[in-house]
Amino acid sequence: MAGCTRRCQQGILKFLQCLHRLVSGTLSKDKVDDELEMTMVCHRPEGLEQLEAQTNFTKRELQVLYRGFKNECPSGVVNEETFKHIYAQFFPHGDASNYAHYLFNAFDSAHNGSIKFEDFVMGLSILLRGSVREKLQWTFNLYDINRDGYINKEEMTEIVRAIYDMMGKYTYPALKGDVPKQHVDAFFQKMDKNKDGVVTLEEFILACQEDENMMRSLQLFENVL
């Protein structure tokens, strides 16, 4: 079981690296053909056309991603432990476990403790190729930890603190314990237009569109891929 888990972790990391090359335009046509051949599986995913219609990926891109995903992780799903292990490799100088937990929950659309290929593709399509509004709505859902349709200060503080922990001491060498709270207070002052103590989706989108620095701060995941 441990060997299978390690193989899945290594495979998904390769999958993400392949995705990075693919979406950044550095995966050539010949390379795509080579990787298709190397990662060929015996069956074609059901609903490929539906995924193509629902995402901003082409059929060829979906084939490459799906075949690599299934070849390296035959179960077709990723659990939270594996996801945390993968994500930690992007941030070796910090503790990414808390942020990975919240990010995993955002990808886990069925809330069943696992991420399927379809979950990955739908989320990544928005984060990498979606409109500004789509990206902000996805990010809002990440911050809305209890999924009640609002972001309160406690939820935002949890996420912001997790981001600081993930970036580590090399990025923030003299960070004081109250800095995340100060940033959240500043965010809320701009976002909570009616001063009712919570931020709605529309308030969130409006504030981020009015302040590019705030948008960059909140959409950290884009910088990982």
Side-chain angles (χ1 to χ4, degrees):
M1 179 64 71
C4 180
T5 300
R6 283 194 298 271
R7 180 171 179 267
C8 183
Q9 292 169 346
Q10 294 166 356
I12 300 301
L13 193 58
K14 285 169 59 181
F15 161 77
L16 290 173
Q17 292 166 346
C18 174
L19 173 66
H20 180 233
R21 297 197 306 277
L22 188 150
V23 298
S24 61
T26 57
L27 193 60
S28 69
K29 181 180 183 300
D30 290 340
K31 188 65 175 177
V32 169
D33 292 337
D34 290 344
E35 298 214 11
L36 277 171
E37 183 177 353
M38 286 189 297
T39 61
M40 186 68 68
V41 293
C42 61
H43 64 279
R44 178 176 175 173
E46 294 183 7
L48 184 63
E49 291 78 9
Q50 183 178 358
L51 272 180
E52 184 182 9
Q54 292 175 336
T55 69
N56 297 308
F57 295 118
T58 66
K59 182 180 292 187
R60 176 174 288 275
E61 289 170 340
L62 289 169
Q63 287 173 333
V64 172
L65 296 174
Y66 180 83
R67 288 167 179 170
F69 188 92
K70 287 288 288 184
N71 187 57
E72 299 295 345
C73 194
S75 68
V77 297
V78 178
N79 61 29
E80 184 171 343
E81 180 182 357
T82 297
F83 188 85
K84 285 182 176 179
H85 177 83
I86 294 167
Y87 210 75
Q89 297 183 51
F90 288 107
F91 300 94
H93 301 305
D95 179 3
S97 59
N98 286 335
Y99 188 74
H101 166 72
Y102 296 125
L103 193 61
F104 178 89
N105 287 342
F107 273 105
D108 180 15
S109 59
H111 316 317
N112 60 5
S114 63
I115 301 174
K116 298 184 299 183
F117 172 73
E118 291 84 349
D119 298 323
F120 261 128
V121 169
M122 295 294 288
L124 291 172
S125 173
I126 293 172
L127 290 168
L128 296 172
R129 295 181 177 174
S131 67
V132 171
R133 185 178 179 86
E134 287 172 335
K135 292 178 181 181
L136 289 174
Q137 184 164 353
W138 197 95
T139 306
F140 178 90
N141 292 334
L142 169 68
Y143 279 77
D144 180 17
I145 296 174
N146 66 5
R147 305 181 190 277
D148 66 350
Y150 302 94
I151 300 174
N152 58 45
K153 280 190 176 183
E154 289 74 20
E155 289 173 319
M156 185 170 283
T157 301
E158 286 289 323
I159 301 290
V160 171
R161 193 177 300 280
I163 291 173
Y164 280 121
D165 290 344
M166 175 176 65
M167 300 307 291
K169 62 182 180 180
Y170 291 94
T171 306
Y172 301 100
L175 185 66
K176 296 181 180 179
D178 60 345
V179 170
K181 182 180 181 302
Q182 292 174 3
H183 282 186
V184 169
D185 288 341
F187 284 150
F188 256 76
Q189 187 173 357
K190 294 180 179 180
M191 289 183 178
D192 186 12
K193 302 295 186 182
N194 61 0
K195 308 302 179 186
D196 63 352
V198 295
V199 173
T200 65
L201 174 62
E202 291 305 319
E203 287 177 326
F204 182 85
I205 291 175
L206 180 62
C208 287
Q209 289 178 333
E210 291 176 345
D211 189 332
E212 291 186 3
N213 290 327
M214 183 184 298
M215 188 184 301
R216 282 195 294 270
S217 298
L218 293 171
Q219 291 184 287
L220 185 67
F221 181 66
E222 279 191 279
N223 300 323
V224 175
L225 291 175

